[in-house]
Amino acid sequence: MLQPGLMMDLPLMLSSIIEHAAAQYGDIEVVARETHGPLFRYTYADCAVRARKLANALAGLGLEPGQAVGSIAWNNHRHLEAYYAVSGSGMVMHTCNPRLHPQQLIYIINHAEDRVVLFDATFAPLVKGIAAHCPQVRHWVCLSEAVHMPAIEGVANVVAYEDLIAPHSAQFAWPQFDERSAAALCYTSGTTGNPKGAMYSHRAIVLNAITICSANALGMSTKQTILPVVPMFHINAWCIPYAAPIAGTKLVLPGPKLDGASLYELMESERVTVSAGVPTIWQGMIAHVEQHGLQFSTMRVTATGGSAMPQSLIAKFSDNYNVEVRHGWGMTETTAVATMGSLEGKHTDWTPAQKHALIARQGKSVFGVEIKVVDENGATLPRDGASQGELMVRGHWIMRQYYKAETSPLVDGWFPTGDIATIDAEGVMQIRDRTKDVIKTGGEWISSIDLESAAVAHPAVAMAAVIGVKHPKWDERPLLFVVRKPGQTVEKEEILAFLSERVAKWWVPDDVVFLDALPVGGTGKVQKGDLRKQYGGVFS
Ligand code: ADP
């Protein structure tokens, strides 16, 4: 017969994270780029004080546990305070992606029933456009001092954050409740149909945050300084705003300035050692450092995910700049990181090329998450690095049902991701494509990700995307889109010749379209749907 464990049963609460940081790492800094430009600087102890003041202010507005507070905001210190004040009070922190179409923003704010929306001044025009369509929102709070708050004509109940919290006490008794209660809510981008909400629990976030502190993940400690470029408005900035205070890691928040030059400058001035961002951000940053002949003085690890990081970019970071890339995979439905690729002790003697090829894959599931790939009948495929099928995931921070949905998407307790992947004998997973992007040609599959990675390895190519275009004989054939680097004149023949040396002959795209830019969506990913709409006709 089982024996009961004799440990205390304290719930895992987000409020305990900021109180832990205030008490143990009270002097560790948080540095944030204000929306109006300058850098703001304070400590975890100050952050906790202001989070408590905001918690009192929200209670003063009549909000109650279970109600939602929206945010349309950059990565900055007020957003961080809201992360703790809202969830810590038992309310739901609903982070909205400002790059969603306004109709979708209206949809998610109404669907989540946000009572208050916090927004950065950048998004004042957006708020002006949507406020009339969000009748349940009682207060719009501009994350600034009154002096930096833009006038928003026609919207009632707009208040500056600093005015809202100023009169309130810095004492707040965080409620203790079931750790399975909702803490935060994030909607998928809704590329097909309306966005769907993933509702994260305190337990899921705390467990994920502890996990990503570990050495094989982001390796966070008091010796590190972390700059999350990944947005706090999407997938909880990979839970870094929770993990950093757990580990006593200095946190640097870039606000609205996400271009290569601004990020580089911030990394240097704040002596950042670890960062996290999508590949498009790293492409911009490398372009900047290459152009100006710069080096990173302190940056040693950068985590990437959200879309596949091309091997050529991994090689540049590692070989030219001595920055180790960690390649993670996750999705809105997985709270944050679910798998992470990093170099292990046994790889020390590998050649650089071997190491880069390993990191170009998305790594092993972190403890707390399990993965498998299945065929179209749901049968588990072997872990042989070759059998590809749909990636299924389960674990402590994987969603089981969308918010307000009647049914669960789970299949035998596993979440179907819509990604096509392989897993090798050591457990290393590789995303080959999304089910909706994979190119089916003559009964075989072509991985658009592999083709794109091969194309961006060409020195004149800045960005590349591949879609499947209908073909009368082969069903579909790949069409490649290329954005040239500034000043480059590379033409179709050269690109195709370059690719034919790197991929199977039948993978070589049927045509190349040169564009000035690729359509990039709210989370920094190429919007292949837009490309398909415009170019997805028929090859003759
Ligand atoms: P959306 O892209 O629809 O807004 P998410 O932001 O939740 O949704 O993105 C999740 C998807 O992003 C995954 O299902 C996967 O297709 C893709 N993705 C995430 N990380 C990686 C990665 N490291 N490599 C390739 N694809 C990735």
Side-chain angles (χ1 to χ4, degrees), residues 140-393:
W140 298 87
V141 180
C142 183
L143 294 171
S144 71
E145 286 143 349
V147 43
H148 295 119
M149 188 171 88
I152 310 182
E153 289 145 34
V155 182
N157 292 334
V158 183
V159 60
Y161 181 90
E162 295 301 331
D163 290 349
L164 176 71
I165 67 166
H168 289 280
S169 163
Q171 303 302 316
F172 186 80
W174 299 110
Q176 300 292 299
F177 45 84
D178 187 339
E179 65 187 26
R180 292 167 189 80
S181 309
L185 174 62
C186 179
Y187 284 78
T188 60
S189 308
T191 34
T192 49
N194 278 327
K196 297 192 286 278
M199 184 72 106
Y200 313 112
S201 62
H202 283 253
R203 174 185 160 81
I205 292 176
V206 171
L207 291 176
N208 178 276
I210 295 171
T211 302
I212 63 159
C213 289
S214 65
N216 289 339
L218 296 182
M220 288 163 73
S221 75
T222 50
K223 298 194 179 94
Q224 309 295 338
T225 295
I226 192 159
L227 187 159
V229 189
V230 283
M232 290 173 71
F233 59 69
H234 194 62
I235 329 186
N236 313 302
W238 298 2
C239 286
I240 292 169
Y242 306 109
I246 288 177
T249 305
K250 175 179 165 184
L251 186 61
V252 181
L253 301 170
K257 293 180 99 177
L258 304 177
D259 60 287
S262 305
L263 288 174
Y264 176 81
E265 206 181 289
L266 192 57
M267 284 173 175
E268 288 296 301
S269 65
E270 295 304 324
R271 305 189 62 74
V272 170
T273 59
V274 191
S275 188
V278 294
T280 41
I281 289 285
W282 300 134
Q283 254 148 4
M285 163 144 277
I286 283 288
H288 174 75
V289 293
E290 276 183 339
Q291 200 185 342
H292 296 90
L294 305 167
Q295 283 290 332
F296 296 99
S297 350
T298 52
M299 257 281 288
R300 287 297 162 259
V301 171
T302 178
T304 188
S307 50
M309 180 85 157
Q311 190 172 326
S312 49
L313 197 53
I314 294 169
K316 267 189 191 164
F317 267 109
S318 161
D319 301 347
N320 303 355
Y321 298 101
N322 193 22
V323 175
E324 181 188 335
V325 175
R326 305 262 169 107
H327 194 171
W329 170 90
M331 55 199 306
T332 310
E333 291 87 343
T334 70
T335 307
V337 170
T339 75
M340 182 66 88
S342 62
L343 294 171
E344 300 176 16
K346 65 184 175 193
H347 303 134
T348 311
D349 297 332
W350 280 20
T351 64
Q354 282 176 311
K355 291 180 185 170
H356 307 331
L358 176 72
I359 296 302
R361 296 189 265 153
Q362 285 78 2
K364 300 182 173 184
S365 56
V366 293
F367 176 71
V369 170
E370 292 169 81
I371 54 172
K372 65 176 181 178
V373 287
V374 298
D375 67 14
E376 53 279 11
N377 302 316
T380 303
L381 291 166
R383 290 189 162 208
D384 57 9
S387 306
Q388 59 182 36
E390 182 166 15
L391 178 66
M392 311 286 283
V393 58

Side-chain angles (χ1 to χ4, degrees), residues 397-458:
W397 48 86
I398 311 300
M399 194 205 74
R400 64 180 154 86
Q401 191 153 355
Y402 290 103
Y403 184 42
K404 293 185 180 172
E406 311 240 297
T407 54
S408 162
L410 300 195
V411 180
D412 298 332
W414 293 75
F415 179 79
T417 64
D419 284 342
I420 306 288
T422 56
I423 305 176
D424 73 12
E426 298 202 336
V428 178
M429 187 270 287
Q430 180 171 17
I431 299 282
R432 306 305 307 271
D433 231 320
R434 295 185 107 168
T435 14
K436 59 182 196 295
D437 292 337
V438 74
I439 300 158
K440 297 198 184 82
T441 190
E444 301 282 347
W445 285 4
I446 293 178
S447 157
S448 62
I449 293 183
D450 286 4
L451 269 181
E452 289 155 8
S453 295
V456 294
H458 189 287

